[in-house]
Every structure is written in C-alpha cells, then in structure tokens.
Amino acid sequence: MRGRYAVIVSRGVGALQRWLPAAIPLLQGGGRLVLEKGPAALQEVRDLAPSLATRYGVQVDLIVVPGESSAARTMVVISKPDDGQKFDKPR
C-alpha cells in the first residue's frame, strides 16, 4: 500500500505524532493528507513541523474552518513532494 494514494482524508484524527508515521508513507509523490483537527492543531503542527520537514520532506498548511461551532476546527493539509520536487526546510 506504500505510495499508492493521491489523497487521504480523515477527521477525528488523534495525535499527529502517532498517526503521521503510518499515513505519510501511503501517499504517492505529490499526494496530500487532509485532516480535520480541533483547536489544538496549530500548536501540534508547530511542535511537529521541523521533524516533518526533515524526516518526511513534507509541507504543512493550516486552514481555519469558519463556522458557528463552539470548538474551532482546522484543516491540516500535508503535501508530499512530487518525485524530484523539494520543499524548503523551515528556518
């Protein structure tokens, strides 16, 4: 199943540091993970971003989902580089 999926979408994802090592290898080059997370997503991604970039070479984007829900929701989009593509490492 490694490198087989262009897009993986999930909601109710637990801790990213436990989930991502299993999910990222499933993506093909240029693939994306789209994950719905709660209000702690920003801090969780900040904590993981350096290791995600160096270990997996992925790019992470956050999209805040507007709405009337009492709990803020954030979409975490993790993009795996296409073969030969490189993302800049965070400074």
Side-chain angles (χ1 to χ4, degrees):
M1 303 307 277
R2 294 176 79 76
R4 188 167 188 176
Y5 299 94
V7 178
I8 298 172
V9 179
S10 184
R11 64 182 295 268
V13 175
L16 292 179
Q17 85 180 64
R18 296 187 75 203
W19 199 82
L20 293 178
I24 290 174
L26 299 176
L27 290 174
Q28 59 186 257
R32 288 187 172 81
L33 292 171
V34 181
L35 313 169
E36 182 182 359
K37 293 288 290 176
L42 179 59
Q43 188 59 48
E44 191 174 5
V45 168
R46 279 186 181 152
D47 293 344
L48 289 173
S51 66
L52 290 174
T54 57
R55 184 173 180 187
Y56 298 107
V58 297
Q59 178 177 322
V60 181
D61 295 296
L62 299 174
I63 302 166
V64 176
V65 179
E68 298 178 19
S69 172
S70 61
R73 307 306 297 166
T74 301
M75 301 303 289
V76 178
V77 181
I78 298 172
S79 303
K80 187 172 182 179
D82 219 348
D83 295 335
Q85 177 185 16
K86 296 205 186 265
F87 291 125
D88 291 334
K89 291 183 180 178
R91 298 175 200 260

